[in-house]
Amino acid sequence: METITLNNIHVILGGQIILNEVNFEVHSGQVLMIAGPNGAGKSTLLDIFLGMVKPSKGRILIDRKKSIDNHFKLNMGYLPESLSFVDSLSGKQILSFFAKTKRVSKQRVEEVLSLIGLSQAAKKATRHYSCGMKQRLGLGIAILNEPKLLILDEPTTGLDKDGLKLLFSILEEWREKNRIVLLATHDLTMLEKRVSHICVINQGKVQVFDTPENLINAQGIPYRMSVTFKTDNKEMRQQQFLEQLDTFEHISYQFHRHQLNIYSDQKQLKQLVELWHQYNNIIATFSMTEPALNEVYEMILEKEI
């Protein structure tokens, strides 16, 4: 499986348009984040892949040729937003049940239990599991058969530091092995460095589809740098620094006493860092804050569709 193509997907439920002309393509080795406000159509989009919702119009193509079939679904792993287990069963019993349905070996069950950090709790009933442990068990079920397509709905829910580390390692592994990940989330900040592409859906339509870097640059949100000068520096050197700063294009700055705040686009970053090194003897501190994806997201949603 090299590509998944969404071709003019429409979904109408109860007379209401849920998805409207959704078109995009995702390739092997990509992790696609699907974001959008509540009711935008994210979960419905995932349900189409799972066969729980049938498009009113359009179809999903695998490698631009065939539609989703049962064989394809066997190569799919899914983590739902809300998890519910038979609380009298142990984690190992639940994994073993899914292993049979997915035709996975007992050895793989043990591997997954170790991977998700539940080996020690494998024989405990899941009623004794914390929310984070249940989420890790859900991740284990999703990756049990090492699917070519991994679908994750709000995967960060309930995860602690170790759980997030597990999630990030899974996303990295799927990218390295040229598989595909689709994940729907509201947690853009936590995952923005872990995805290759972002699709923002609003009112049932794809508003943007691009890489995080391209989206940030397109919105023109500046990089923010803070410079403090040493209190014992020579005023002349400080003035020379500011004069050189004035020659740079696409930046603005505010200076008060020994504190300098600079706002720049990405093109000027290399020159600014070089300037910092050139005047390092008069600079006490230098820090930089990159534009955050959640800022970009808010700006995108504010635009008319």
Side-chain angles (χ1 to χ4, degrees), residues 156-293:
T156 60
T157 301
L159 292 180
D160 59 10
K161 184 178 178 181
D162 290 337
L164 288 171
K165 187 176 179 180
L166 165 66
L167 173 62
F168 298 159
S169 70
I170 290 171
L171 296 180
E172 184 62 28
E173 179 183 352
W174 256 246
R175 289 186 72 169
E176 289 178 352
K177 293 185 175 179
N178 283 322
R179 299 166 184 163
I180 296 174
V181 181
L182 303 179
L183 63 89
T185 184
H186 287 96
D187 202 347
L188 278 72
T189 303
M190 188 70 70
L191 292 169
E192 66 176 292
K193 300 294 184 183
R194 313 290 172 173
V195 303
S196 62
H197 291 73
I198 299 171
C199 174
V200 177
I201 296 181
N202 194 7
Q203 298 178 27
K205 294 184 178 181
V206 174
Q207 198 159 351
V208 294
F209 184 100
D210 213 329
T211 65
E213 183 181 22
N214 286 346
L215 288 178
I216 288 171
N217 291 337
Q219 298 304 315
I221 300 175
Y223 288 74
R224 295 182 280 271
M225 280 142 283
S226 177
V227 176
T228 57
F229 294 103
K230 296 177 180 177
T231 56
D232 59 349
N233 72 77
K234 294 181 180 179
E235 292 292 332
M236 183 177 68
R237 288 282 288 166
Q238 183 173 300
Q239 186 60 36
Q240 288 173 344
F241 180 96
L242 294 174
E243 286 175 356
Q244 281 199 242
L245 197 60
D246 284 331
T247 66
F248 292 1
E249 296 179 352
H250 308 296
I251 73 160
S252 61
Y253 66 86
Q254 298 171 340
F255 180 55
H256 181 65
R257 295 184 178 178
H258 299 287
Q259 176 76 38
L260 176 66
N261 295 315
I262 305 171
Y263 307 90
S264 170
D265 66 11
Q266 190 180 37
K267 296 177 183 178
Q268 300 294 333
L269 294 182
K270 183 178 179 181
Q271 285 181 283
L272 286 167
V273 172
E274 289 174 351
L275 185 64
W276 168 58
H277 284 296
Q278 183 181 345
Y279 287 87
N280 191 42
N281 64 324
I282 66 168
I283 293 175
T285 63
F286 177 91
S287 62
M288 180 173 68
T289 304
E290 297 182 21
L293 189 60

